[in-house]
Amino acid sequence: MPQKKPVVAVVGATGAVGREMLATLYSRKFPAAQVIPFASSRSAGSKVPFGDTELTVRELKEDVFEGIDLAIFSAGGSTSEKFAPHAAAAGCVVVDNSSAWRMDDRCPLVVPEVNPHALEKHNGIIANPNCSTIQMVVALKPLHDAAAITRVVVSTYQAVSGTGKKGLDELERQVRQLFNGQDPEIKVYPYQIAFNCLPHIDVFLDNDYTKEEMKMVNETVKIMEDPGIKVTATCVRVPVFYGHSESVNIETKRKLTAKEARAILAQAPGVQVLDNPKEKIYPLAIDAAGEDLTFVGRIREDESIANGLNLWVVADNIRKGAALNAVQIAEELLKRDLLRVPDKGLFLKK
Ligand code: A2P
């Protein structure tokens, strides 16, 4: 029997990711009966673009989810923590882009190219992984299947759009101020981001890693479903508007040559290999911006160990790293007929 089209909410619809979610739902022709944008009381009544029309933003409240089948959240961790349980209690399935639910055992953490089967056991809230983790696992899963990855050493070069609209505004304003001979105003990041690199994303934890770095460590193991993969990360904010780049070094049980890795990645879902050093072909953030794929290049054998590879992995952090992955999860839920909440009160219980 054909399913009825779902009513879809986008929570955080006025933000950088929320706007991209609306654009992605529209461009992928997501079969929604209605799309309803929500944000804070500050934005209630304002308009957001949806294809060639505009939608009126509504204020998010606990009781708005009645009659909504699916809500895609990108409004920060505290908003998700507070409102997602109420959505699930109203029978609305949540795909959440914040870090609030990612490591909760009740919530699958899903990248559709890697572990779509994890959706089968969802309880009403599904977590969208961290942007840097998503693009890395899209590239690593096919290599793991072929040669069993035992260790990953990753350094990231992350765009300011990962901080939302305020990050984009901060970089633009500081560049303008510096070119006008003024002191750059520092509002969002701990130091000047224009013409600088900050080895500090999210807060520092007791082990002196940042929360962003530990997200990459823990989320990778959960998504790849293999505690045998050891990950260490250094996450760096760079003055790029869109597109995260990553230097990824992997160690595998079985030897993979660079040629084999290139051939495996060329067949991998969601991946495009751009790797021809002689022609100066490799992935660049400015080319990945606005694209859906994860780009992999600079594939080299690590000559310092027996079974190692180096990769350069680039993707649009707002698209594959956030909005697109969330919409792909929603598509997969529809395809698998999983738009229902089995135990509506589960997330309201302490
Ligand atoms: P608003 O524009 O009303 O503040 P970004 O990540 O680009 O900063 O966007 C954050 C998004 O989350 C915005 O749409 C913002 O809405 C929304 N948001 C922030 N706090 C809340 C809240 N308490 N309730 C609903 N939406 C929120």
Side-chain angles (χ1 to χ4, degrees), residues 121-178:
K121 288 198 195 128
H122 87 78
N123 291 303
I125 301 178
I126 295 133
N128 203 41
N130 173 258
C131 44
S132 314
T133 310
I134 293 176
Q135 66 183 68
M136 183 170 82
V137 296
V138 165
L140 293 192
K141 179 65 164 67
L143 302 176
H144 184 54
D145 289 345
I149 295 171
T150 54
R151 183 163 187 250
V152 180
V153 182
V154 54
S155 299
T156 68
Y157 305 70
Q158 298 184 217
V160 293
S161 49
T163 319
K165 190 171 173 316
K166 59 184 186 296
L168 293 161
D169 292 346
E170 176 113 331
L171 175 57
E172 192 193 324
R173 190 186 60 250
Q174 289 184 354
V175 169
R176 257 192 287 108
Q177 287 168 329
L178 286 160

Side-chain angles (χ1 to χ4, degrees), residues 11-32:
V11 176
T14 53
V17 173
R19 283 170 183 273
E20 191 63 38
M21 280 172 174
L22 289 168
T24 308
L25 287 168
Y26 186 85
S27 66
R28 291 174 73 91
K29 299 187 173 61
F30 188 85

Side-chain angles (χ1 to χ4, degrees), residues 6 48 125 166 271 276:
V48 282
I125 301 178
K166 59 184 186 296
V271 172
N276 186 347

Side-chain angles (χ1 to χ4, degrees), residues 11-17 38-43 60 74-76 79 83 163-166:
V11 176
T14 53
V17 173
F38 289 96
S40 76
S41 55
R42 295 178 290 272
S43 315
L60 182 66
S74 191
T79 305
F83 291 94
T163 319
K165 190 171 173 316
K166 59 184 186 296

Side-chain angles (χ1 to χ4, degrees), residues 274-277 279-284 287 296-298 312 314:
L274 291 176
D275 194 19
N276 186 347
E279 300 296 328
K280 290 188 275 195
I281 291 173
Y282 37 75
L284 294 174
D287 296 334
V296 186
R298 302 295 326 278
W312 180 246
V314 182

Side-chain angles (χ1 to χ4, degrees), residues 47 87 94 123 152 217 276 335:
K47 306 273 185 198
V94 172
N123 291 303
V152 180
V217 171
N276 186 347
K335 194 171 100 189

